[in-house]
Amino acid sequence: MSELELRQTTVEASAEHRPPRRRDRLPRVGTLLAIAFVLFLVAATCFPGLVATQDPNQIAAAEAFRSPSLAHWFGTDESGRDVYSRVIAGTGTSLLIGVTATAIGLALGLALGVLASFGGRALDFGVSRVVEVLFAFPGLLLALLVIVIYGPGPVTATIAVGLSTAPGYARIIRGQLVSIRSAQFVESARVLGHSPARILARHIVPNALVPIFVLATLGIGQAIVWASALSYLGLGAQPPAAEWGAMLAAGRTYLAGAWWMTVFPGLMIVGTTIATTVLGRALARRGRGPS
């Protein structure tokens, strides 16, 4: 072995045994923190009585506007209700709205994406043009239009958010399906004489499920933000409902003297959005494999 080859081998061996850099470990730490936060949200949704410290609807006028303390971790609101317990009680409602709206948007997006991908050129052109027209409008504006037509409320807000996210999902899913349809393994299955139904069931759908699942994980946080924005505007859940957006709307009047009424529900919205986004990106990296 020459001296140059020996040096190259030594460099490669040292690179293999070199400990991972700190910036390579940071995403793993972030992913663990995101998982821990999501598990906390699941526990608050499934067992709110165990996670909360007090009755979220118990009114105590003498305890109104108490700042955060050991007795009230997130302080109290204008009626003396414990803000922490109300945030925990609103976790299930906010997550249900986010998951349901994401499911509605994904279902419609998947249907439109499949039609555009496998319905022929004419249907692909028509669906793509409709999706582009809808995609040109801001998603929240579409949700507001739906609410104006059918009236405010948590159910209407959930459906409105789901409908407003459908064009974006349809565009992404259509591109994903077209990419998989033209892949080499699909062409090989066609050459082997497999039927279109078998190719769709055994090759295209399984390879499209993981990206769609990642897309759903990323979309839950966006749906929660939009639903909370609608509740903040008075078009979703109405006070005194324990929902994060409604709590933001109720606390804005007292923001100067009782900031905790708005800050802590807002932090829950931000934390949930960040956690679901981090998990979605981690799943996307895992699906791509090591680079």
Side-chain angles (χ1 to χ4, degrees):
M1 179 181 294
S2 65
E3 183 179 356
L4 179 60
E5 293 174 345
L6 180 62
R7 289 181 180 179
Q8 184 176 1
T9 303
T10 304
V11 170
E12 292 175 353
S14 62
E16 291 177 357
H17 296 284
R18 187 181 303 159
R21 292 174 294 180
R22 180 173 179 81
R23 67 180 182 180
D24 295 332
R25 295 198 301 266
L26 286 178
R28 298 180 182 177
V29 175
T31 302
L32 291 176
L33 291 176
I35 292 174
F37 189 80
V38 170
L39 290 177
F40 171 77
L41 295 177
V42 172
T45 300
C46 299
F47 311 102
L50 297 179
V51 181
T53 57
Q54 300 182 26
D55 184 355
N57 297 317
Q58 183 178 357
I59 297 176
E63 298 292 324
F65 298 117
R66 297 286 185 181
S67 59
S69 63
L70 293 177
H72 302 283
W73 295 351
F74 290 177
T76 61
D77 61 8
E78 73 280 7
S79 300
R81 296 170 296 190
D82 186 66
V83 175
Y84 169 76
S85 298
R86 288 182 58 77
V87 167
I88 296 301
T91 302
T93 303
S94 298
L95 287 183
L96 179 62
I97 292 175
V99 172
T100 305
T102 302
I104 293 173
L106 272 178
L108 293 175
L110 183 60
L112 293 174
V114 170
L115 285 177
S117 302
F118 301 98
R121 291 186 177 181
L123 193 57
D124 183 17
F125 179 82
V127 172
S128 298
R129 299 293 83 75
V130 172
V131 168
E132 287 177 1
V133 170
L134 294 176
F135 198 70
F137 291 91
L140 195 57
L141 178 59
L142 288 177
L144 289 173
L145 290 176
V146 174
I147 291 178
V148 167
I149 296 174
Y150 295 101
V155 176
T156 307
T158 303
I159 297 174
V161 172
L163 293 177
S164 62
T165 57
Y169 290 140
R171 196 175 189 180
I172 296 174
I173 292 172
R174 184 255 179 196
Q176 183 69 27
L177 292 177
V178 169
S179 176
I180 296 174
R181 187 184 62 183
S182 59
Q184 185 175 1
F185 62 90
V186 176
E187 294 295 335
S188 300
R190 290 196 184 99
V191 172
L192 292 175
H194 295 173
S195 64
R198 184 178 180 182
I199 294 175
L200 181 64
R202 298 194 60 179
H203 298 284
I204 296 179
V205 171
N207 285 279
L209 285 179
V210 173
I212 290 174
F213 181 75
V214 172
L215 190 64
T217 306
L218 294 171
I220 290 175
Q222 178 189 16
I224 291 176
V225 170
W226 285 9
S228 299
L230 293 175
S231 297
Y232 182 83
L233 296 174
L235 302 175
Q238 303 295 318
E243 192 268 340
W244 294 341
M247 294 177 68
L248 285 176
R252 61 185 173 183
T253 306
Y254 313 101
L255 186 59
W259 53 267
W260 53 87
M261 292 178 57
T262 303
V263 168
F264 289 113
L267 287 177
M268 290 297 292
I269 296 173
V270 173
T272 303
T273 304
I274 293 176
T276 54
T277 302
V278 169
L279 288 181
R281 292 184 180 276
L283 289 173
R285 290 194 301 269
R286 187 177 182 86
R288 288 194 299 264
S291 56

